[in-house]
Amino acid sequence: MAVALRLPSLTSLFSSPSVSRRYPAVLLRQSLRHFRPPPPLAAGFSAQSAASSPPETEDQVNNQKSRPSQERANQDRDRVITPRSQDFNAWYLDIIANAELADYGPVRGTMVIRPYGYAIWEAIQDYLNVKFKETGHSNMYFPQFIPYSFIEKEASHVEGFSPELALVTIGGGKKLEEKLVVRPTSETIVNHMFTQWIHSHRDLPLMVNQWANVTRWEMRTKPFVRTLEFLWQEGHTAHATPEEAEKEAMQMIEIYTKFAYEQAAIPVIPGRKSKVETFAGASKTYTIEAMMGDRKALQAGTSHNLGQNFSRAFGTLFTDENGQRQHVWQTSWAISTRFVGGIIMTHGDDIGLTLPPKMAPIQVIIIPIWKKADEKTAVLSAALSVKEALQKSGIKVKLDDSEQRTPGWKFNFWEMKGIPLRIEIGPRDVSSGSVVISRRDVPGKQGKVFGISMEPSILEAYVKDKLDEIQLALLGRATAFRDSNIVDVSSYDELKEAISIGKWARGPWSASDVDELRVKEETGATIRCFPFEQPEGIKTCLMTGNPAVEVAIFAKSY
Amino acid sequence: MAVALRLPSLTSLFSSPSVSRRYPAVLLRQSLRHFRPPPPLAAGFSAQSAASSPPETEDQVNNQKSRPSQERANQDRDRVITPRSQDFNAWYLDIIANAELADYGPVRGTMVIRPYGYAIWEAIQDYLNVKFKETGHSNMYFPQFIPYSFIEKEASHVEGFSPELALVTIGGGKKLEEKLVVRPTSETIVNHMFTQWIHSHRDLPLMVNQWANVTRWEMRTKPFVRTLEFLWQEGHTAHATPEEAEKEAMQMIEIYTKFAYEQAAIPVIPGRKSKVETFAGASKTYTIEAMMGDRKALQAGTSHNLGQNFSRAFGTLFTDENGQRQHVWQTSWAISTRFVGGIIMTHGDDIGLTLPPKMAPIQVIIIPIWKKADEKTAVLSAALSVKEALQKSGIKVKLDDSEQRTPGWKFNFWEMKGIPLRIEIGPRDVSSGSVVISRRDVPGKQGKVFGISMEPSILEAYVKDKLDEIQLALLGRATAFRDSNIVDVSSYDELKEAISIGKWARGPWSASDVDELRVKEETGATIRCFPFEQPEGIKTCLMTGNPAVEVAIFAKSY
């Protein structure tokens, strides 16, 4: 009964009869007075006086191509977010601006991470920090200024990083004798210190991690995905044997994989990088590769077996149990704020952000609905009780009781912000002791359930259950999307065909580095990884026809 | 009975008969083979190729004066830590090296925060982060590179900070058109962004915080206390009225005060800075001033009422309820890794570090003691049970079951590391179902209690009780020390006398800035603050004899 009666009573509370449409024009126009127009993107990149880079970044080019500012201004009156299918890049930037995840810093390519975006990063930190400690790592902090000479010590490292360095040349008003590198990564300074701390096999393994900012002078930037400065964690370990180092590097990529699947609902593909794509200074690089909504690959985390490359360059030695001096075996591994971009581009839709419950700063938004003043007290009081009950059971819940906005405006706003569940409470709900619950991931009526009891234990169980269901549904959806966009190929022609229609190509590969670079040149795709999970059977290299041990995955990437 | 029998049985377990002495020479010599000799301090500062500063820093000077490397090497064979009373600075550096709190980075004046030191910083973060969120602040992140022109916008800010700036002039291999400042603090970039985000009174208050690294090109550095790069939190808020900004600035200094007293057991004196000592760009600066073990003052945290200084410089305006455009009123506030230095210098003693239980990464160390192989299993099993029981009740506990060290060595090591409580378990304890507990803050037999039941609920209650007792005892001791070293003065002669014997002077003050600078010139002391807590009665300025409204506290400081 409550269900049947519900809709008319709800719609009658709204100021606009168009409320039952998903995007009632009147509400959106209203909302635009609140949604500050995102800073015009070209202007966001105009304060580039500090930069020596070409004036046209990827963002600017995309922006100028697809949405000149006048057109943009016109669009804003009709729509908040560019449809994803129309222009994935514009959609991504619109979400970041409208959901207030980040903003452009005054220096080209830098990013301000706003509270809502930072809260997602904090959820990443909270989970990983516990896992790192459980597996025996301690947090610490290394200085960010590295003498330039350090970077030059490991040959492939300097080759990889020297084009992207920011250099401090003046300190305290004086020109420095040696330029200082603002860390792009810390292997060199870590080894400088490890060399002082490690003496005997009893000092091993040495396993540390730091949460820090790093700087890479990137030319083509994009919020979260590639910024001049970004936040990350970087783990660094030293071991007595190559087996231990390999085990550690594998353990960390497994922790990242589990995190991606279980927390971020991103079905990453873990695997090994090709030699061409291996980290500058590593012996082996393991990676988790994620498929974004536009089917481009995102390298979402890496773990490196560094072998003895840095310990030889820095003389990091230990005395083994037989009294022999040996170089230590090392690993390093990192996940960065780029992962926030991966969450946006995996789960978001035309409406806006969609957050997996385990990553959501707010899991449940409560919208109280009343028309007459005499209804207000009862509705707000019930909403507050529901909030407190859910909060007590550990659910992250927010009550939007502001009076400046209509319920319809709030529905749209919090959907755009990606909140997994919405609870609506109106006067009739108060009378019947129940609430209405809507799922963010199932738009419209299908995702809406009426008449859920307000009784705390029932409601809590229902909400927790739904949050788990959404978490799994998002993973399921992303997995289905991923699997339907990977094509098994057995020839270079098939590979080219798959890439040309925007898919990932998976095929046996044992060809040369030159062949790999030729694929990149001709198709724009690179080997993302040799996945750990390999098909059985005899394999023939798609390029050369020679026997191959493994399949590789090729894709265009961020 | 157990008590009477205890001592002989325990001592018989040690390899050296000298175990009952606090510092048995044999154990200390043993220990030095494990305590890696702290890196010679002069060498720690020798990799100064990157620096343009004078070659002699405070540390070097002190180091070279008091402990040339050969003398130091000789000392190391006899003693781990320089007695505090003999040389406070050498004692401080010895503790940092031996307790592995920090190490010198390769660039002059930079510091590597090692896991044990970083864990103390994490305890500071964990407490404050919760308090900041409870009081309505959100974490976020601003880029660390600030266009040089920003720094010049607020006149007193540029005057205060320009001598200490590190400047990036090269990025991606090219000379930059505008130099970038590596943030010394973020008011300028914060205001640049606030100006874009704040439009109406409905956008206020805006209250954010960031955990970040900052860089100040200091000439005289000292680990934790003053380093070229350090970690801190910086809060930034914007309000519609001066009253709200003032209330916020006061609220934050109160949170810092409560933190210092209740968590760090440091009886800071909260108050207002004199005009001369106010932060570059602030209208008012509030501070918490702590007395270190050498009676020098440490500014341990500050909260600034910025007035409209930055909002005028950056045009940060809002439309008030009457439709008028107004500049916002702002605050900023910070606590840094310097606070870790404050904890060391407040509570440490000749033995080493002493940590307040609420700040201790390890609150209880368990040392199992056995002699014969057949005792080992029972002792280790009991020790593990005790560990698990304490851990379950939320106590931070570590079991040192390594077999390479004697119990005596472990006693010394963990005392030096400042662990508040030690639990000893030997074969007789296992038989009697009890343990021996020693307090770090009460050396020798007075701090040792025998025959505490191993029964989990009894032991947990006892340990928690003792930890609370130690927490209060440390605060009480520091408060008594502070109070016995503050002298009330009513004339400049009395002030000079107090300062000359190393004490703090408290007296009525209404003299000029010139007089204040003269005191600094002639005595080395500065006004640390006008304390919030003021004596009653009529006051006469100690310098001029004119009426005074407040007393000020003068002291030498770090």
Side-chain angles (χ1 to χ4, degrees):
Chain A
M1 258 318 260
V3 175
L5 286 173
R6 175 82 205 178
L7 260 178
S9 78
L10 236 188
T11 49
S12 68
L13 293 169
F14 288 106
S15 53
S16 159
S18 64
V19 70
S20 62
R21 287 171 49 207
R22 187 131 199 94
Y23 281 97
V26 63
L27 289 176
L28 283 173
R29 274 193 293 280
Q30 273 184 335
S31 78
L32 281 168
R33 286 197 286 279
H34 176 91
F35 287 163
R36 281 153 227 142
L41 293 174
F45 270 71
S46 70
Q48 299 196 352
S49 56
S52 60
S53 66
E56 301 228 327
T57 65
E58 184 177 22
D59 292 338
Q60 276 183 299
V61 171
N62 284 326
N63 180 48
Q64 286 164 3
K65 243 189 320 206
S66 63
R67 29 194 9 232
S69 59
Q70 189 49 46
E71 183 196 328
R72 167 72 182 235
N74 291 337
Q75 283 180 348
D76 277 348
R77 259 171 253 136
D78 304 315
R79 178 173 63 224
V80 176
I81 292 175
T82 307
R84 211 178 81 147
S85 54
Q86 182 185 310
D87 183 337
F88 194 83
N89 187 57
W91 166 84
Y92 178 72
L93 297 176
D94 281 348
I95 286 196
I96 285 173
N98 284 320
E100 300 187 340
L101 295 167
D103 205 342
Y104 295 107
V107 174
R108 179 200 70 85
T110 64
M111 170 179 65
V112 181
I113 307 179
R114 303 186 69 175
Y116 197 59
Y118 198 84
I120 299 172
W121 177 236
E122 286 181 310
I124 295 173
Q125 290 187 302
D126 289 348
Y127 176 91
L128 289 179
N129 206 37
V130 169
K131 293 294 162 198
F132 296 160
K133 290 186 179 181
E134 279 175 5
T135 45
H137 305 90
S138 302
N139 283 335
M140 62 179 302
Y141 188 75
F142 293 90
Q144 76 163 340
F145 291 155
I146 301 175
Y148 191 80
S149 57
F150 281 27
I151 300 287
E152 299 176 304
K153 286 195 184 183
E154 210 286 333
S156 61
H157 195 66
V158 65
E159 195 190 321
F161 281 104
S162 65
E164 328 187 322
L165 301 178
L167 301 177
V168 172
T169 61
I170 298 170
K174 289 181 190 152
K175 190 159 180 287
L176 304 180
E177 284 173 33
E178 181 177 8
K179 294 186 288 273
L180 301 180
V181 174
V182 185
R183 69 174 155 233
T185 181
S186 300
E187 280 77 7
T188 57
I189 194 167
V190 164
N191 266 80
H192 176 79
M193 300 311 300
F194 275 15
T195 301
Q196 296 170 52
W197 298 334
I198 296 170
H199 302 275
S200 131
H201 62 93
R202 279 187 295 270
D203 300 322
L204 299 174
L206 182 51
M207 309 206 294
V208 299
N209 175 65
Q210 76 173 353
W211 294 94
N213 56 342
V214 275
T215 298
R216 296 179 186 176
W217 208 267
E218 302 279 2
M219 287 300 110
R220 295 157 70 87
T221 59
K222 187 186 186 78
F224 290 113
V225 171
R226 183 174 284 110
T227 50
L228 201 137
E229 180 193 6
F230 56 95
L231 304 181
W232 77 351
Q233 58 68 217
E234 50 179 324
H236 296 274
T237 69
H239 307 266
T241 66
E243 293 76 20
E244 281 177 65
E246 177 64 15
K247 197 176 157 197
E248 166 77 3
M250 284 294 288
Q251 170 182 255
M252 300 323 289
I253 205 70
E254 278 159 20
I255 285 176
Y256 290 160
T257 304
K258 202 168 140 72
F259 163 72
Y261 272 83
E262 295 180 7
Q263 302 297 119
I266 300 181
V268 295
I269 295 182
R272 193 185 77 254
K273 285 284 184 191
S274 70
K275 211 181 103 209
V276 169
E277 300 284 334
T278 291
F279 174 74
S283 296
K284 280 185 194 170
T285 289
Y286 300 116
T287 179
I288 50 173
E289 298 287 324
M291 185 185 285
M292 301 294 97
D294 62 351
R295 300 180 295 182
K296 280 170 84 173
L298 187 80
Q299 177 180 304
T302 49
S303 177
H304 313 294
N305 181 336
L306 302 173
Q308 294 179 317
N309 299 333
F310 287 91
S311 65
R312 288 183 186 278
F314 285 83
T316 316
L317 291 149
F318 73 103
T319 305
D320 70 14
E321 294 186 347
N322 306 316
Q324 301 296 306
R325 297 289 282 166
Q326 289 201 38
H327 289 98
V328 298
W329 301 84
Q330 295 184 261
T331 80
S332 65
W333 26 276
I335 268 188
S336 76
T337 37
R338 154 177 275 214
F339 208 97
V340 177
I343 291 171
I344 301 167
M345 290 194 286
T346 299
H347 301 300
D349 60 17
D350 283 355
I351 299 166
L353 195 60
T354 306
L355 290 174
K358 289 188 182 173
M359 292 279 104
I362 304 167
Q363 296 171 311
V364 178
I365 182 75
I366 303 173
I367 315 276
I369 302 168
W370 71 87
K371 199 175 172 185
K372 302 172 199 149
D374 62 338
E375 294 164 346
K376 179 178 163 185
T377 314
V379 165
L380 279 185
S381 152
L384 201 63
S385 299
V386 166
K387 181 194 166 189
E388 282 167 3
L390 294 180
Q391 209 156 34
K392 213 171 282 171
S393 70
I395 294 162
K396 293 173 187 159
V397 57
K398 184 182 165 74
L399 166 61
D400 183 354
D401 57 2
S402 66
E403 304 200 12
Q404 287 150 19
R405 302 293 172 189
T406 63
W409 186 94
K410 292 177 186 175
F411 285 15
N412 288 331
F413 181 76
W414 294 110
E415 283 181 353
M416 185 273 294
K417 296 270 264 187
I419 315 300
L421 277 185
R422 175 178 74 227
I423 295 182
E424 305 157 26
I425 304 177
R428 297 209 181 199
D429 301 301
V430 173
S431 310
S432 65
S434 68
V435 300
V436 181
I437 298 190
S438 297
R439 280 172 66 155
R440 171 63 181 84
D441 65 322
V442 183
K445 287 180 190 170
Q446 295 106 302
K448 204 160 186 159
V449 180
F450 299 88
I452 308 298
S453 168
M454 268 186 209
E455 202 281 305
S457 66
I458 298 175
L459 185 61
E460 283 161 33
Y462 184 88
V463 165
K464 285 191 172 174
D465 206 47
K466 278 293 147 201
L467 291 174
D468 289 345
E469 210 175 305
I470 295 170
Q471 182 79 28
L472 285 176
L474 291 180
L475 178 62
R477 193 167 72 182
T479 306
F481 179 74
R482 179 197 72 179
D483 292 343
S484 67
N485 282 292
I486 301 181
V487 179
D488 281 307
V489 297
S490 55
S491 69
Y492 187 35
D493 279 345
E494 285 177 16
L495 184 152
K496 281 192 278 194
E497 164 66 14
I499 299 299
S500 74
I501 57 169
K503 299 203 171 193
W504 292 16
R506 178 175 48 203
W509 184 263
S510 62
S512 66
D513 296 352
V514 173
D515 283 331
E516 187 179 335
L517 292 169
R518 180 183 149 210
V519 173
K520 184 176 181 178
E521 188 79 15
E522 293 178 354
T523 70
T526 49
I527 294 184
R528 303 317 303 157
C529 68
F530 294 97
F532 293 146
E533 204 180 301
Q534 287 282 332
E536 292 186 8
I538 292 166
K539 301 179 189 75
T540 306
C541 176
L542 67 90
M543 182 63 88
T544 61
N546 293 331
V549 178
E550 293 170 296
V551 297
I553 291 176
F554 292 80
K556 291 184 180 171
S557 72
Y558 280 100
Chain B
M1 261 316 262
V3 175
L5 288 173
R6 175 82 204 176
L7 261 177
S9 79
L10 235 188
T11 49
S12 68
L13 294 168
F14 288 107
S15 52
S16 158
S18 64
V19 71
S20 62
R21 287 168 51 207
R22 189 132 199 92
Y23 282 97
V26 64
L27 288 177
L28 283 173
R29 274 193 294 279
Q30 274 186 331
S31 77
L32 281 168
R33 285 197 287 278
H34 175 91
F35 287 163
R36 278 153 228 145
L41 292 173
F45 271 72
S46 69
Q48 298 196 352
S49 55
S52 59
S53 66
E56 301 229 326
T57 65
E58 185 178 21
D59 291 339
Q60 278 183 297
V61 171
N62 284 326
N63 180 49
Q64 287 163 2
K65 242 190 319 208
S66 63
R67 27 192 17 230
S69 59
Q70 189 48 48
E71 185 195 325
R72 167 73 183 234
N74 292 337
Q75 282 179 353
D76 276 348
R77 259 171 252 137
D78 304 315
R79 178 175 63 225
V80 175
I81 293 173
T82 308
R84 209 179 82 147
S85 54
Q86 182 186 309
D87 183 336
F88 194 83
N89 187 56
W91 166 83
Y92 178 72
L93 297 177
D94 281 349
I95 286 197
I96 285 173
N98 284 319
E100 300 186 339
L101 295 167
D103 205 340
Y104 296 106
V107 174
R108 180 200 68 86
T110 63
M111 171 179 64
V112 181
I113 307 179
R114 301 186 70 177
Y116 198 58
Y118 197 84
I120 299 173
W121 177 237
E122 287 181 309
I124 295 172
Q125 290 187 301
D126 288 348
Y127 176 90
L128 290 178
N129 206 38
V130 168
K131 294 293 162 196
F132 296 160
K133 290 185 179 182
E134 279 175 5
T135 46
H137 306 89
S138 302
N139 283 336
M140 63 179 302
Y141 188 76
F142 293 90
Q144 76 163 342
F145 291 156
I146 301 175
Y148 191 81
S149 57
F150 281 25
I151 301 287
E152 298 177 303
K153 285 195 184 183
E154 210 287 331
S156 61
H157 195 67
V158 65
E159 194 189 322
F161 281 102
S162 64
E164 331 187 320
L165 300 179
L167 301 177
V168 172
T169 62
I170 297 171
K174 289 181 189 154
K175 191 159 180 286
L176 303 181
E177 283 174 34
E178 181 177 7
K179 293 185 289 273
L180 301 180
V181 173
V182 185
R183 73 177 151 229
T185 181
S186 299
E187 281 77 8
T188 57
I189 194 166
V190 165
N191 266 81
H192 175 79
M193 300 311 300
F194 276 15
T195 301
Q196 297 169 52
W197 299 333
I198 297 170
H199 302 274
S200 131
H201 61 94
R202 279 187 296 269
D203 300 322
L204 299 174
L206 181 51
M207 310 207 294
V208 300
N209 176 65
Q210 77 173 353
W211 295 94
N213 56 342
V214 275
T215 298
R216 296 178 186 176
W217 208 267
E218 303 279 1
M219 287 299 110
R220 296 158 68 86
T221 59
K222 189 186 185 78
F224 289 113
V225 171
R226 185 173 282 109
T227 48
L228 201 137
E229 179 193 7
F230 56 96
L231 304 182
W232 76 352
Q233 60 68 217
E234 49 180 324
H236 296 273
T237 69
H239 307 266
T241 67
E243 294 77 19
E244 280 176 66
E246 177 64 15
K247 197 175 155 199
E248 167 76 3
M250 285 295 288
Q251 170 183 258
M252 300 323 289
I253 205 71
E254 279 158 21
I255 284 175
Y256 290 160
T257 305
K258 201 168 140 75
F259 164 71
Y261 272 82
E262 296 180 7
Q263 302 297 118
I266 301 181
V268 295
I269 295 182
R272 194 185 76 255
K273 284 284 184 192
S274 69
K275 212 181 100 207
V276 169
E277 300 283 336
T278 291
F279 173 75
S283 297
K284 280 183 192 171
T285 289
Y286 299 116
T287 180
I288 50 173
E289 297 287 324
M291 184 184 285
M292 301 294 96
D294 60 353
R295 300 180 296 183
K296 280 169 85 172
L298 186 80
Q299 178 180 303
T302 49
S303 176
H304 313 295
N305 182 335
L306 302 173
Q308 294 178 316
N309 299 333
F310 286 92
S311 64
R312 288 183 187 279
F314 284 82
T316 317
L317 292 149
F318 73 103
T319 305
D320 70 15
E321 294 186 346
N322 307 315
Q324 301 295 307
R325 295 288 282 166
Q326 289 201 37
H327 288 98
V328 298
W329 301 85
Q330 294 183 261
T331 80
S332 66
W333 26 276
I335 268 189
S336 76
T337 37
R338 153 176 275 214
F339 208 98
V340 177
I343 291 171
I344 301 167
M345 291 194 285
T346 299
H347 301 300
D349 60 18
D350 283 354
I351 300 167
L353 195 59
T354 307
L355 290 174
K358 289 186 182 174
M359 292 279 103
I362 304 166
Q363 297 171 311
V364 177
I365 182 75
I366 303 173
I367 316 275
I369 302 168
W370 71 88
K371 200 176 171 182
K372 301 171 200 150
D374 63 337
E375 295 165 347
K376 180 178 160 183
T377 314
V379 166
L380 280 185
S381 151
L384 201 64
S385 299
V386 165
K387 182 194 165 190
E388 280 167 4
L390 294 179
Q391 210 156 33
K392 212 172 283 174
S393 69
I395 294 162
K396 293 173 188 161
V397 58
K398 185 184 164 73
L399 165 61
D400 184 353
D401 57 1
S402 67
E403 303 200 12
Q404 286 150 19
R405 304 294 173 188
T406 64
W409 186 93
K410 292 178 185 174
F411 286 14
N412 289 331
F413 180 75
W414 293 111
E415 282 180 350
M416 185 273 294
K417 296 270 263 188
I419 315 299
L421 277 185
R422 176 178 73 230
I423 294 182
E424 304 157 27
I425 303 177
R428 298 211 180 198
D429 300 302
V430 174
S431 309
S432 65
S434 68
V435 301
V436 181
I437 298 191
S438 296
R439 279 173 66 155
R440 171 63 182 85
D441 65 320
V442 183
K445 288 180 191 169
Q446 294 107 301
K448 202 159 187 157
V449 180
F450 299 87
I452 309 297
S453 168
M454 268 186 209
E455 201 282 305
S457 67
I458 298 176
L459 185 62
E460 283 162 32
Y462 184 87
V463 165
K464 284 192 172 173
D465 205 48
K466 277 296 147 198
L467 290 174
D468 288 347
E469 211 176 304
I470 295 170
Q471 182 79 27
L472 285 175
L474 290 180
L475 178 63
R477 192 168 74 182
T479 307
F481 178 76
R482 180 198 71 180
D483 292 344
S484 67
N485 282 293
I486 301 180
V487 179
D488 282 307
V489 298
S490 54
S491 69
Y492 187 34
D493 280 346
E494 286 177 14
L495 183 152
K496 282 191 277 195
E497 165 66 12
I499 298 299
S500 73
I501 57 168
K503 299 202 169 192
W504 292 17
R506 178 174 48 203
W509 185 264
S510 62
S512 65
D513 295 353
V514 173
D515 283 331
E516 186 179 335
L517 292 169
R518 181 182 149 211
V519 174
K520 183 176 183 179
E521 188 78 16
E522 293 177 354
T523 69
T526 49
I527 295 184
R528 301 318 304 158
C529 68
F530 294 96
F532 292 146
E533 203 180 302
Q534 286 283 333
E536 291 187 9
I538 293 166
K539 301 178 190 75
T540 306
C541 176
L542 66 90
M543 183 62 88
T544 62
N546 294 331
V549 179
E550 294 169 295
V551 297
I553 290 175
F554 293 80
K556 290 183 179 170
S557 71
Y558 279 100

